[in-house]
Amino acid sequence: MDGLTRAKLDLEQGDARKARDRLKGLVTTYPHNKEIRALLAQAYRRDRQWPEADRWGYLDGPAATDEERSAFERHCAFGWSTRIKESRLRQLLRVDDLAVIADDTGRALLADLPHRRNPNRPDSEGPVAGLIRDFAVWLAKRPRT
C-alpha cells in the first residue's frame, strides 16, 4: 500500500493528524501533485485549521473558499512587505513554479498578486510612513516663533 492510499484510508477512518503527517511527506516528494495538496487541505479543514487548509488549496479554486484564502493571507502576513510577493508564496506552498499547481482561479490570483496588499498592513508605504506623515502634520500645526 503506498503513502497516498494510506493517507486516504487515515482520512476515511477520521485520523486527520496521521493523514497530514503522511501527506506532508508526500507533498515534499511530489510538490506538483494537486491531489496530495487537496487531501492535505481537507485534512487541515477537518481540524478547523483554516489558514493551513488554505495554504494547500490556495491556488486551487474548489480546494479553498475566499474566507480561507483571506485567513491564510492574514496568518502568513507575508512579512512586513506592503505587497504579497510571489517568492514568499512559492516558499510557503513548497513549489518552485506556482503556475503548475494553479487552476483558473489560481492563475487569476497569481495575475492579481502584484496588486494585492498585505492584509495586516493598514498603510501601503511602509511601517515608518505613518510616523513620518504624523510628524509632518505636527510640524505644520505647531505655532511658529
Side-chain angles (χ1 to χ4, degrees):
M1 188 182 300
D2 68 332
L4 186 57
T5 307
R6 287 181 181 167
K8 287 178 182 179
L9 186 61
D10 290 337
L11 278 174
E12 287 173 13
Q13 294 174 348
D15 194 351
R17 186 200 51 79
K18 196 172 194 178
R20 281 195 313 266
D21 290 343
R22 291 185 199 280
L23 291 165
K24 282 192 280 187
L26 288 171
V27 83
T28 303
T29 307
Y30 307 102
H32 300 124
N33 188 313
K34 291 181 183 181
E35 182 182 12
I36 293 171
R37 290 175 174 278
L39 287 170
L40 198 47
Q42 181 183 352
Y44 276 109
R45 198 173 288 117
R46 285 195 183 178
D47 285 342
R48 298 177 177 264
Q49 295 183 32
W50 311 125
E52 282 298 315
D54 188 56
R55 173 182 181 182
W56 301 107
Y58 188 72
L59 296 177
D60 188 9
T65 65
D66 289 337
E67 292 82 19
E68 287 174 351
R69 285 187 182 90
S70 179
F72 170 69
E73 290 172 0
R74 281 192 314 275
H75 177 71
C76 294
F78 294 99
W80 271 101
S81 175
T82 56
R83 301 265 183 213
I84 295 170
K85 298 188 187 295
E86 189 174 327
S87 60
R88 174 77 171 132
L89 194 55
R90 279 195 309 270
Q91 182 183 30
L92 288 167
L93 300 182
R94 297 184 189 170
V95 67
D96 51 352
D97 186 7
L98 295 171
V100 173
I101 62 168
D103 65 355
D104 292 337
T105 302
R107 283 188 278 283
L109 279 169
L110 288 174
D112 191 45
L113 205 56
H115 309 290
R116 299 208 37 150
R117 300 281 185 188
N118 182 332
N120 292 336
R121 293 285 305 276
D123 63 319
S124 60
E125 297 93 19
V128 181
L131 292 173
I132 293 171
R133 195 172 32 254
D134 291 345
F135 182 70
V137 169
W138 176 79
L139 280 176
K141 288 183 177 179
R142 74 176 201 171
R144 297 180 191 213
T145 54

